[in-house]
Amino acid sequence: MSSTDGRGGRLIIFASPEARKDALWWALAALSVPVAGAAVWWLSENTINRLAPREYQYRPGTVSEYISELFAKHAKRRRRTKPLRVYLDGCFDVMHYGHANALRQARMLGDQLVVGLISDDEIRAAKGPPVMNYAERKSLVGSVKWVDEVIDDAPYLLSEDFLHELFTKHKIDYVVHGDDPCLLPDGTDAYAYAKQQGRFKMIKRTEGVSSTDIVGRMLMCTRDNARFREERRELTKQFSSGERRVSLEELENGDGGSVAGSPRPPAHTIISRFMPTSRRIVQFSDGVPAPPGARIVYIDGGFDLFHPGHVEILKLARAQGDFLLVGLHTDDDIMERRGAHLPIMDLHERALSVLACCYVNEVIIGAPLEVTEDLLTTFNISLVVRGTVSETGAADNADHPRYMVPKQRDIMRTLRSPRDITTATIIHRIVSNRAAYEARNAKKNKSEAAYYQSKQHVTEM
Ligand SMILES: *[C@@H]1O[C@H](CO)[C@@H](O)[C@H](O)[C@H]1NC(C)=O
Ligand SMILES: *[C@@H]1O[C@H](CO)[C@@H](O)[C@H](O)[C@H]1NC(C)=O
């Protein structure tokens, strides 16, 4: 390389071969510093994670302030490059919006939600017979829009080894659990190890519903259903703040209405403590309108006790277009058509369950029974679908007068339901095994009561 200076003389740079060689070496030396640095950084991250004892491995928010400050940047970087993975386990038997809300909260704590699903055998041993089998539970939990992965056959009792496997093999950052205590048989906290590792996060349990409560509703609904239904409605109205619960005995003796001022602790949850808030609906909604030009598919029904049959038909329905709109019938309509003991879940509860399903884009809360011209126009519906399996059987297929308008317009389609399970199937399972479920509920009843007695405020995500 050379150039001429202003005075005509030649300024020579790196003219000799030795000088050029020197420059090359210097350049290489300068380059090796960042390369070596990167190698050391990469090695340390990997060796620390592989060889160091558990307590020195990567964990968010380390004990010692000095170390945590030192590693803060590293942790931040890691979080940016790798998704934060959160784990929540459960039985998810008789899945309801309380489960969905727990999954939603867990998902908010990270980027990916991994669910550990407990096997049928473990549920049977720990609680009594499950209402839904493994495949059904997996179909339900896997369809919730906040779930990214399901780990099969998670243990009911969390061992330290299993937690360690979660942290290493499944790359879980945080283990999540509700604010009710979870104890091992020896009385120790099941999450002690995760807590000690700084990898435990608590979420707010959703009040007003539990599987125990829903099983209780099903057991009740077959006893003296019409009268029970009427009373339940009355009481729900009366205590719509949701703060009161009424015991089984009180209802059965028909004096449910006289307990308003009584401070007696409730024996069994019947009146749902569900407090429908507008925020909950917002949390569960996508809030995204159908994109312009989208093909909107409409399906209506009760969707009571949201089950795998619903999931499968919604999946099929969604595949017919770009946007799935679900019309939910009112409680009164369902009661009139299917009997006074139904629905088990009220309109708001059903809306939340349906909204939590990943195939659903929007829900009409209280849709008309009849699919009218007005409905089709308002929502720009391109196709109305109906499954072959329904609660009321053949009496309610696509030829029913309430589908007359879409039929005339030739936008009515019948989809073959992949499963023949219905809400009645599930109620039947519980009622036909009444003794076992009553025992199961009585057992659970105690821990439920203990929770409500000792509960404290936990902020929801
Ligand atoms: C209504 O739906 C049709 C598809 O069936 C679509 O072509 C049209 O753009 C939609 N209208 C609006 C206003 O989105
Ligand atoms: C629930 O537990 C209470 C005691 O905590 C008991 O008195 C009541 O009978 C139980 N109810 C049922 C339905 O088992």
Side-chain angles (χ1 to χ4, degrees):
M1 221 189 286
S2 70
S3 76
T4 315
D5 72 8
R7 282 166 299 167
R10 278 163 66 85
L11 190 72
I12 296 160
I13 306 163
F14 302 145
S16 68
E18 287 79 16
R20 241 179 259 165
K21 216 175 184 181
D22 263 8
L24 193 67
W25 279 117
W26 276 113
L28 277 179
L31 203 68
S32 70
V33 174
V35 170
V40 166
W41 177 82
W42 184 81
L43 272 177
S44 66
E45 191 196 23
N46 281 283
T47 21
I48 285 180
N49 279 345
R50 224 168 272 149
L51 303 177
R54 287 179 191 180
E55 45 289 9
Y56 298 114
Q57 291 180 6
Y58 163 77
R59 56 191 152 127
T62 352
V63 244
S64 127
E65 229 185 299
Y66 174 71
I67 297 179
S68 79
E69 246 172 46
L70 206 70
F71 279 91
K73 259 193 198 144
H74 162 71
K76 230 191 211 159
R77 201 191 164 89
R78 182 188 161 109
R79 216 162 295 162
R80 235 184 307 125
T81 51
K82 295 173 191 168
L84 196 67
R85 285 162 66 83
V86 175
Y87 176 84
L88 179 71
D89 65 3
C91 306
F92 302 101
D93 194 15
V94 197
M95 177 112 182
H96 50 71
Y97 60 88
H99 292 130
N101 195 37
L103 294 166
R104 183 189 64 78
Q105 291 184 70
R107 176 64 178 70
M108 293 300 121
L109 293 169
D111 307 311
Q112 290 178 354
L113 174 60
V114 180
V115 170
L117 192 57
I118 293 164
S119 71
D120 289 347
D121 287 342
E122 293 226 16
I123 296 180
R124 205 168 288 118
K127 300 181 165 188
V131 180
M132 307 241 186
N133 67 33
Y134 194 85
E136 291 169 339
R137 289 184 290 120
K138 188 166 177 178
S139 151
L140 270 174
V141 80
S143 77
V144 172
K145 63 183 174 193
W146 299 289
V147 174
D148 296 290
E149 256 175 72
V150 177
I151 295 181
D152 283 320
D153 297 322
Y156 187 73
L157 297 171
L158 276 175
S159 66
E160 208 172 298
D161 286 335
F162 181 73
L163 282 170
H164 187 63
E165 192 184 311
L166 285 179
F167 297 152
T168 51
K169 187 174 153 204
H170 298 290
K171 301 201 160 38
I172 301 296
D173 294 278
Y174 292 109
V175 174
V176 173
H177 187 71
D179 58 320
D180 47 330
C182 182
L183 302 180
L184 293 174
D186 60 4
T188 57
D189 182 0
Y191 292 93
Y193 174 64
K195 282 178 184 164
Q196 175 221 326
Q197 292 278 302
R199 291 183 161 206
F200 177 80
K201 292 231 169 173
M202 189 153 94
I203 52 171
K204 176 84 184 81
R205 189 188 133 116
T206 308
E207 286 174 22
V209 70
S210 66
S211 300
T212 313
D213 171 40
I214 295 171
V215 171
R217 294 188 204 179
M218 285 187 259
L219 289 171
M220 275 299 292
C221 83
T222 52
R223 281 216 172 136
D224 185 2
N225 43 40
R227 192 182 55 109
F228 162 69
R229 195 79 213 165
E230 229 7 84
E231 278 177 10
R232 188 183 152 173
R233 271 156 59 79
E234 270 312 300
L235 286 164
T236 313
K237 252 185 250 158
Q238 218 168 323
F239 307 113
S240 53
S241 71
E243 278 306 321
R244 279 275 323 163
R245 287 187 294 172
V246 176
S247 78
L248 190 67
E249 289 78 7
E250 283 162 346
L251 264 189
E252 294 211 321
N253 298 339
D255 61 0
S258 69
V259 296
S262 143
R264 232 180 318 161
H268 187 68
T269 314
I270 284 174
I271 298 298
S272 166
R273 293 159 60 108
F274 177 51
M275 297 171 237
T277 62
S278 49
R279 193 160 63 96
R280 179 78 74 230
I281 303 264
V282 171
Q283 287 166 339
F284 274 57
S285 305
D286 293 343
V288 186
R295 185 174 156 82
I296 298 172
V297 180
Y298 180 72
I299 186 168
D300 66 347
F303 295 90
D304 194 12
L305 279 178
F306 200 68
H307 57 66
H310 293 140
V311 173
E312 301 288 339
I313 197 70
L314 289 174
K315 184 180 179 180
L316 270 185
R318 177 66 175 74
Q320 310 297 315
D322 312 305
F323 191 91
L324 180 59
L325 177 66
V326 179
L328 284 182
H329 298 153
T330 62
D331 295 345
D332 286 341
D333 281 341
I334 293 177
M335 208 192 292
E336 204 165 290
R337 283 150 45 85
R338 298 187 193 164
H341 59 296
L342 290 172
I344 300 288
M345 309 295 280
D346 75 25
L347 181 59
H348 285 98
E349 297 175 308
R350 291 184 280 121
L352 291 177
S353 293
V354 172
L355 276 172
C357 177
C358 64
Y359 305 114
V360 175
N361 297 98
E362 193 157 14
V363 169
I364 301 176
I365 304 173
L369 277 179
E370 194 183 329
V371 180
T372 57
E373 195 74 52
D374 181 55
L375 183 82
L376 296 177
T377 312
T378 306
F379 294 97
N380 191 28
I381 292 165
S382 304
L383 184 70
V384 178
V385 298
R386 175 102 200 126
T388 46
V389 169
S390 88
E391 299 294 328
T392 33
D396 200 16
N397 59 16
D399 295 326
H400 196 274
R402 66 197 186 92
Y403 295 115
M404 199 145 81
V405 175
K407 262 199 103 152
Q408 277 168 356
R409 277 218 212 165
D410 199 22
I411 55 165
M412 182 78 211
R413 189 178 297 172
T414 301
L415 304 176
R416 233 182 74 81
S417 305
R419 283 176 197 260
D420 60 1
I421 180 172
T422 63
T423 304
T425 321
I426 295 164
I427 297 177
H428 179 75
R429 283 184 197 174
I430 287 179
V431 173
S432 65
N433 203 355
R434 178 179 283 275
Y437 288 111
E438 265 170 353
R440 172 178 155 166
N441 260 20
K443 195 165 148 190
K444 195 80 209 269
N445 170 12
K446 263 194 206 141
S447 58
E448 289 282 298
Y451 165 79
Y452 280 111
Q453 240 145 48
S454 66
K455 85 167 203 192
Q456 285 174 337
H457 177 75
V458 175
T459 309
E460 212 184 88
M461 292 300 296

